[in-house]
């Protein structure tokens, strides 16, 4: 006898059977609304967040207060899409990349899912490199970075393959010891920190401010393509406003606080230290206790990587029914092997790898998120033909979203400033190294195009 996963009560034990199938309202048993906050608290209360903040002075040559302003402004901008898309989980009972089908259609939704799979792999790679750096620094090289990467990957996979319920159990409490540890590091290092003067306001300073802001935005908004994956089993009666603000605070608090901490640590311990050496120097006054706390911090990467692994499996299922037949846990296992191999190659030049990767994430998520937001508010007014989520013939064709995304990428090419490519507008605004305004232009170009083209698609097809 076949089991209908869509109507199964949420009482499963062991590895979660459900994939991207819609969760019907009568089977939803996840009633802790505060989990909308704690999962993001734990996922961001990690050393990767500190590593991002450290880029402000070491890579972008900002001062103290302009770094703080960039961190606050671009985090807020990046978190807004995450908080909004999280409200669609209880409302629709669908995973985030599945919701993309209501704008991009079947083919376009699959294309965006491929982008998300690449993003999940990228985030996982960045995170395990950071954890490996800390392990290597703690052992003074006795334990190679590669071993740390492997251990963190194994621990992450053990939680992520079991699925939704177990992820929330872990993330509900994982942030607490990490918050205590970071507070202790602040106490022992605070006296060594200094306020680096803000550079003169000129083209180079503005370019650094905006480019670092793009990396901050990419880190924060990177969660938007996962946002509803972790509350689809919550009642549809939950207040959308409460879900929004709990999600917003769950991302904003750790991101803003720890990025400022990371930047401030670079003022206390100079010399171009990697994040592992930076945290080791900060914990040195605590002696043996400091070493133990840093081991725990290295394991904090697990909380950040779990959502990447879990959502990657779901995104693979969005590629079509043949992919949907394979349990998302299998996809997570395959992904873990891939990103371990990638991490080994990318670890040698980590700061540049991190900043470039975060900007690339911001590039595609800007057009994608603005299209979903416009679809919801302008064209659907919050109403979805919810039972058609897996019926290709009843979903939009998606040409308006695809073309708008391509136009958005045109804006990105104008404004991007990367090591191997600087767009003409970025070059004109920022001089030799460019001012990276790729994500801003991508969002504006894609949003403007979608407002025009989606109306034409609706008039042509009626869906």
């Amino acid at each position: 006898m076949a089991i209908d996963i869509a109507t199964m009560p949420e009482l499963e034990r062991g590895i979660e059977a459900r994939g991207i199938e819609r969760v019907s309202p009568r089977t939803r048993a996840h009633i802790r609304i505060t989990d909308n906050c704690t999962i993001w608290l734990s996922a961001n209360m990690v050393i990767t967040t500190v590593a991002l903040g450290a880029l402000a002075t070491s890579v972008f040559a900002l001062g103290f207060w302009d770094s703080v302003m960039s961190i606050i402004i671009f985090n807020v901008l990046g978190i807004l899409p995450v908080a909004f898309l999280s409200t669609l989980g209880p409302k629709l009972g669908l995973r985030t990349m599945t919701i993309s089908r209501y704008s991009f259609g079947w083919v376009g939704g699959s294309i965006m899912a491929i982008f998300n799979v690449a993003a999940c792999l990228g985030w996982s790679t960045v995170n395990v490199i950071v954890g490996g750096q800390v392990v290597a620094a703690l052992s003074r090289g006795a334990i190679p970075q590669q071993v740390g990467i492997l251990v963190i990957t194994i621990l992450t996979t053990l939680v992520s393959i079991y699925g939704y319920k177990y992820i929330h159990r872990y993330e509900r409490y994982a942030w607490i010891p990490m918050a205590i540890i970071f507070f202790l590091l602040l106490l022992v290092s605070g006296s060594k920190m200094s306020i680096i003067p803000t550079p003169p306001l000129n083209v180079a300073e503005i370019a650094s401010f905006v480019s670092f802001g793009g990396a901050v935005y990419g880190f924060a908004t990177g969660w938007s393509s996962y946002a509803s994956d972790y509350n689809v089993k919550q009642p549809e009666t939950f207040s959308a406003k409460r879900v929004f603000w709990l999600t917003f605070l769950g991302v904003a608090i750790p991101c803003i606080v720890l990025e400022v901490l990371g930047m401030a640590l670079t003022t206390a311990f100079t010399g171009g230290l990697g994040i592992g050496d930076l945290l080791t120097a900060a914990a040195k006054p605590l002696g043996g206790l400091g070493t133990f706390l840093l081991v725990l911090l290295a394991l904090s990467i697990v909380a950040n990587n779990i959502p990447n692994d879990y959502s990657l499996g779901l995104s693979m299922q969005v590629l079509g029914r043949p992919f949907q037949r394979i349990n998302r846990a299998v996809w997570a296992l395959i992904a873990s092997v891939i990103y371990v191999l990638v991490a080994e190659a990318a670890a040698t030049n980590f700061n540049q790898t991190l900043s470039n990767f975060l900007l690339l994430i911001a590039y595609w998520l800007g057009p994608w998120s603005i299209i979903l937001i416009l679809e919801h508010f302008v064209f659907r007014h919050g109403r979805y033909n919810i039972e058609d989520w897996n019926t290709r013939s009843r979903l939009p064709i998606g040409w308006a979203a695809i073309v708008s995304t391509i136009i958005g990428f045109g804006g990105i090419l104008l404004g991007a400033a990367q090591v191997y490519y600087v767009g003409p507008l970025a070059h004109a605004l920022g001089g030799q190294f460019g001012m990276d305004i790729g994500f801003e232009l991508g969002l504006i170009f894609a949003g403007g195009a979608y407002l025009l083209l989606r109306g034409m698609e609706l008039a042509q097809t009626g869906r």
Side-chain angles (χ1 to χ4, degrees):
M1 176 176 154
I3 297 175
D4 184 2
I5 294 178
T7 58
M8 239 171 56
E10 300 304 320
L11 299 175
E12 61 205 39
R13 299 183 185 277
I15 296 176
E16 180 185 15
R18 184 185 300 278
I20 61 169
E21 299 83 9
R22 185 191 179 226
V23 185
S24 64
R26 67 179 180 276
T27 65
R28 302 181 194 177
H30 182 194
I31 58 174
R32 288 177 183 257
I33 195 170
T34 54
D35 282 352
N36 288 288
C37 183
T38 54
I39 188 167
W40 305 117
L41 274 176
S42 291
N44 292 286
M45 192 75 69
V46 296
I47 52 180
T48 313
T49 317
V50 180
L52 171 58
L55 299 180
T57 58
S58 62
V59 173
F60 294 94
L62 294 174
F64 187 92
W65 291 114
D66 50 342
S67 297
V68 171
M69 290 301 298
S70 186
I71 287 169
I72 293 173
I73 292 170
F74 286 94
N75 265 306
V76 169
L77 292 175
I79 297 167
L80 288 174
V82 184
F84 162 68
L85 290 168
S86 71
T87 66
L88 299 185
K91 177 181 174 65
L92 304 180
L94 291 172
R95 313 289 186 159
T96 312
M97 294 312 295
T98 308
I99 297 170
S100 290
R101 290 175 173 176
Y102 287 93
S103 305
F104 286 85
W106 192 273
V107 174
S110 297
I111 294 171
M112 292 297 104
I114 292 171
F115 275 96
N116 200 46
V117 167
C120 291
L121 287 172
W123 282 119
S124 295
T125 301
V126 165
N127 291 332
V128 295
I129 289 173
V130 173
Q133 280 189 351
V134 174
V135 170
L138 282 174
S139 64
R140 297 182 181 179
I143 301 176
Q145 184 172 336
Q146 291 78 4
V147 174
I149 288 172
L150 184 61
V151 170
I152 291 169
T153 300
I154 292 171
L155 292 174
T156 299
T157 305
L158 287 175
V159 180
S160 64
I161 62 172
Y162 276 89
Y164 185 99
K165 179 172 64 175
Y166 296 93
I167 290 171
H168 274 291
R169 285 183 179 177
Y170 182 85
E171 306 279 19
R172 196 172 293 149
Y173 306 107
W175 67 274
I176 298 173
M178 300 306 147
I180 294 171
I181 294 170
F182 283 123
F183 181 70
L184 288 174
L185 292 180
L186 175 62
L187 285 181
V188 298
S189 303
S191 61
K192 301 182 181 68
M193 296 174 184
S194 60
I195 296 180
I196 299 176
T198 300
L201 184 60
N202 52 33
V203 172
E205 161 66 6
I206 296 172
S208 294
F209 181 89
V210 173
S211 297
F212 174 63
V216 170
Y217 177 92
F219 187 89
T221 209
W223 299 115
S224 61
S225 57
Y226 312 172
S228 73
D229 293 359
Y230 303 97
N231 59 9
V232 292
K233 300 181 183 181
Q234 293 186 331
E236 60 182 349
T237 55
F238 272 5
S239 164
K241 185 180 293 186
R242 288 189 67 194
V243 171
F244 178 96
W245 284 112
L246 284 168
T247 303
F248 185 91
L249 293 173
V251 183
I253 292 171
C255 281
I256 292 173
V257 172
L258 294 190
E259 286 164 22
V260 171
L261 174 63
M263 178 273 296
L265 284 174
T266 62
T267 72
F269 307 100
T270 57
L273 299 177
I275 187 60
D277 294 319
L278 197 64
L279 291 170
T280 300
K284 188 175 181 180
L286 295 173
L289 174 62
T291 302
F292 174 70
L293 295 180
L294 288 180
V295 171
L296 295 181
L297 279 185
L299 296 178
S300 74
I301 293 298
V302 174
N304 189 279
N305 254 13
I306 286 170
N308 301 323
D309 287 15
Y310 181 74
S311 290
L312 182 146
L314 297 170
S315 294
M316 287 298 300
Q317 291 189 336
V318 176
L319 297 180
R321 289 187 176 87
F323 294 88
Q324 193 176 340
R325 294 189 190 104
I326 300 174
N327 191 289
R328 46 120 215 121
V330 175
W331 292 119
L333 285 170
I334 294 171
S336 65
V337 175
I338 294 172
Y339 71 72
V340 163
L341 296 175
V342 175
E344 305 292 352
T348 54
N349 190 17
F350 176 68
N351 276 357
Q352 200 65 56
T353 299
L354 177 60
S355 59
N356 288 340
F357 171 70
L358 290 172
L359 287 167
L360 288 171
I361 288 297
Y363 290 158
W364 81 271
L365 282 175
W368 174 83
S369 60
I370 194 63
I371 286 170
L372 264 65
I373 291 169
L374 290 174
E375 179 71 25
H376 180 87
F377 288 106
V378 177
F379 298 104
R380 291 188 180 273
H381 304 289
R383 296 187 294 271
Y384 294 78
N385 46 323
I386 195 63
E387 298 303 327
D388 299 331
W389 68 271
N390 208 30
T391 306
R392 181 172 183 170
S393 62
R394 297 184 63 84
L395 292 166
I397 292 175
W399 68 261
I402 295 171
V403 173
S404 297
T405 302
I406 294 171
I407 293 173
F409 286 170
I412 290 168
L413 289 173
L414 285 174
Q418 293 291 310
V419 174
Y420 301 109
Y421 173 80
V422 178
L425 188 55
H427 181 67
L429 292 174
Q432 179 183 359
F433 301 105
M435 179 191 300
D436 197 306
I437 53 172
F439 90 82
E440 294 95 337
L441 291 182
L443 189 150
I444 292 168
F445 279 36
Y450 195 67
L451 283 172
L452 174 65
L453 298 179
R454 180 59 171 142
M456 294 170 59
E457 182 182 33
L458 283 169
Q460 179 188 62
T461 66
R463 55 186 170 100

